[in-house]
Amino acid sequence: MSSKMKKKILITGALGHIGSHLLRNIGKNAVKEIIILDNLESRRYSSLFDLPKGFKFKFIRDDILTADFDKYLAGIDTVIHLAALTDAEGTFKTPRRVRKVNFNGLVRVADACKAHGVKLLFPSTTSVYGSQDSVVDENCKELKPQSPYAAEKLNAEKYLKKLGKKGLKYIICRFGTIYGYSIGMRYDTAVNKFIWQAANGIPITVWKTAWKQKRPYLYLGDCVRSINFIMNRDLFNGQIYNVTSSNFTVEDVVNAIRQFIPKLKVNYVDSPIMNQLSYEVEDKKFKSLGFKPTGRLNLGIKETLDKLRGII
């Protein structure tokens, strides 16, 4: 891709776990200018520190529910829409707010993208599959989201499909649960939460039903590489792709952490979100395009623990 074809993109929610890593690892051969839009609700000011050279960055503090996208999308080629409430278990307490931010916010962004001829990359979640008896892929018809977070992601997918028929160019990535270090780190997802507890000498809290159950996970480096892969190939074909590094059980995760913290203790607890059965996700569709995930669970855990080494 020549320099003349390099894109100006806008990333919503860009200071979070994924966005802060993406800002530092965006493909230089596809992007020249990056508009960062974030409401700073998470107070992750540090995500703006030491941004890489070679790009033109602009930061806009605004909210997707009120932002004037007619103004912000001028000259934009692609929107990467990361802004969302992402603590799946926490969303049980605030379903109306999740609806407002995760669905209504997406509607505002998608409508504006369609109106201005801007392409949209939307990160959905493998959590839309919910309880499944067998390995599932994108052709699964019986989707069973078991949290407000997953339900609104699925509603957003359906809305984008309708808008796609009216001309919106988009792609949906059903990401596995993210693990791996970023400067905008969050610790409410399984692997990262376990690492935080382990680093602080706190017994890991494991849901009783989940020890042998499999879940799809995505190493943060693979997540960002998948976004670059899509951008480089201009892959806005209205398709849904599962994007994962691998499927792991909770036992796999705990044993990987024990490689580095052998004295790790485990407590078994109940949790409403983890009553679902095991589910395993297939990602052959995205791999068939040439994408190869390289993330390894033990290495992802080690890089995060290394950042916390001072308190271990």
Side-chain angles (χ1 to χ4, degrees):
M1 186 173 288
S2 71
S3 59
K4 291 182 180 179
M5 296 174 66
K6 286 186 179 181
K7 303 170 182 177
K8 178 179 180 181
I9 68 171
L10 184 147
I11 308 174
T12 69
L15 305 188
H17 192 172
I18 295 175
S20 62
H21 195 66
L22 177 62
L23 290 175
R24 288 158 175 77
N25 296 277
I26 196 94
K28 288 186 177 181
N29 58 332
V31 176
K32 65 175 180 179
E33 187 171 349
I34 302 169
I35 308 299
I36 302 167
L37 190 144
D38 197 290
N39 66 3
L40 274 170
E41 182 179 310
S42 65
R43 298 290 185 265
R44 289 187 176 106
Y45 294 91
S46 57
S47 294
L48 291 168
F49 295 173
D50 300 318
L51 292 175
K53 296 179 180 179
F55 300 97
K56 182 179 179 182
F57 289 101
K58 180 180 180 181
F59 173 66
I60 299 171
R61 182 173 183 173
D62 209 338
D63 194 295
I64 58 170
L65 296 177
T66 55
D68 181 358
F69 286 110
D70 288 333
K71 178 174 67 176
Y72 296 150
L73 292 187
I76 296 292
D77 178 272
T78 304
V79 169
I80 300 173
H81 180 53
L82 301 177
L85 300 175
T86 54
D87 177 2
E89 188 168 357
T91 61
F92 281 99
K93 301 174 183 176
T94 57
R96 288 183 180 178
R97 185 161 184 260
V98 176
R99 173 74 177 180
K100 190 174 181 180
V101 175
N102 291 13
F103 180 71
N104 295 347
L106 172 277
V107 167
R108 291 192 83 244
V109 171
D111 285 353
C113 285
K114 177 185 172 295
H116 292 271
V118 174
K119 288 167 282 192
L120 177 62
L121 189 156
F122 178 67
S124 187
T125 172
T126 51
S127 296
V128 299
Y129 292 108
S131 175
Q132 302 288 342
D133 295 326
S134 58
V135 179
V136 291
D137 63 14
E138 296 87 350
N139 296 316
C140 178
K141 300 299 182 186
E142 287 198 50
L143 301 174
K144 307 170 186 175
Q146 297 195 349
S147 70
Y149 166 75
E152 296 305 345
K153 284 289 190 180
L154 184 55
N155 286 333
E157 288 186 11
K158 293 174 181 177
Y159 187 80
L160 290 178
K161 188 175 181 180
K162 291 179 182 178
L163 219 53
K165 293 177 180 178
K166 298 178 181 178
L168 175 69
K169 291 185 177 180
Y170 71 95
I171 185 171
I172 294 170
C173 297
R174 288 178 179 163
F175 287 151
T177 300
I178 301 292
Y179 70 94
Y181 167 78
S182 79
I183 196 170
M185 194 83 180
R186 50 183 279 256
Y187 289 93
D188 48 64
T189 54
V191 178
N192 297 339
K193 182 179 179 180
F194 290 168
I195 290 171
W196 177 258
Q197 290 171 326
N200 284 279
I202 302 168
I204 282 182
T205 49
V206 173
W207 303 283
K208 291 178 181 177
T209 57
W211 186 247
K212 293 285 187 180
Q213 293 175 4
K214 279 196 171 181
R215 301 280 191 278
Y217 290 93
L218 178 60
Y219 174 59
L220 182 57
D222 284 340
C223 175
V224 166
R225 285 178 54 245
S226 74
I227 293 172
N228 283 327
F229 183 89
I230 289 164
M231 297 285 289
N232 287 335
R233 287 158 181 76
D234 207 31
L235 193 65
F236 297 87
N237 56 7
Q239 294 287 308
I240 296 172
Y241 295 94
N242 292 333
V243 185
T244 70
S245 297
S246 194
N247 294 274
F248 301 117
T249 64
V250 173
E251 183 180 21
D252 293 332
V253 175
V254 171
N255 287 339
I257 296 174
R258 276 199 171 120
Q259 292 178 26
F260 309 103
I261 303 182
K263 294 181 179 180
L264 184 66
K265 294 181 180 179
V266 177
N267 286 344
Y268 294 93
V269 298
D270 291 309
S271 175
I273 196 177
M274 298 303 285
N275 292 333
Q276 62 193 38
L277 299 174
S278 177
Y279 73 103
E280 195 170 347
V281 170
E282 180 60 72
D283 61 353
K284 286 182 181 178
K285 183 179 177 182
F286 195 56
K287 286 178 179 176
S288 72
L289 301 177
F291 183 77
K292 297 179 180 178
T294 60
R296 297 291 178 268
L297 180 62
N298 60 339
L299 295 179
I301 287 171
K302 182 180 185 298
E303 73 178 23
T304 306
L305 282 171
D306 283 347
K307 296 294 182 181
L308 296 167
R309 188 59 61 186
I311 63 172
I312 294 174

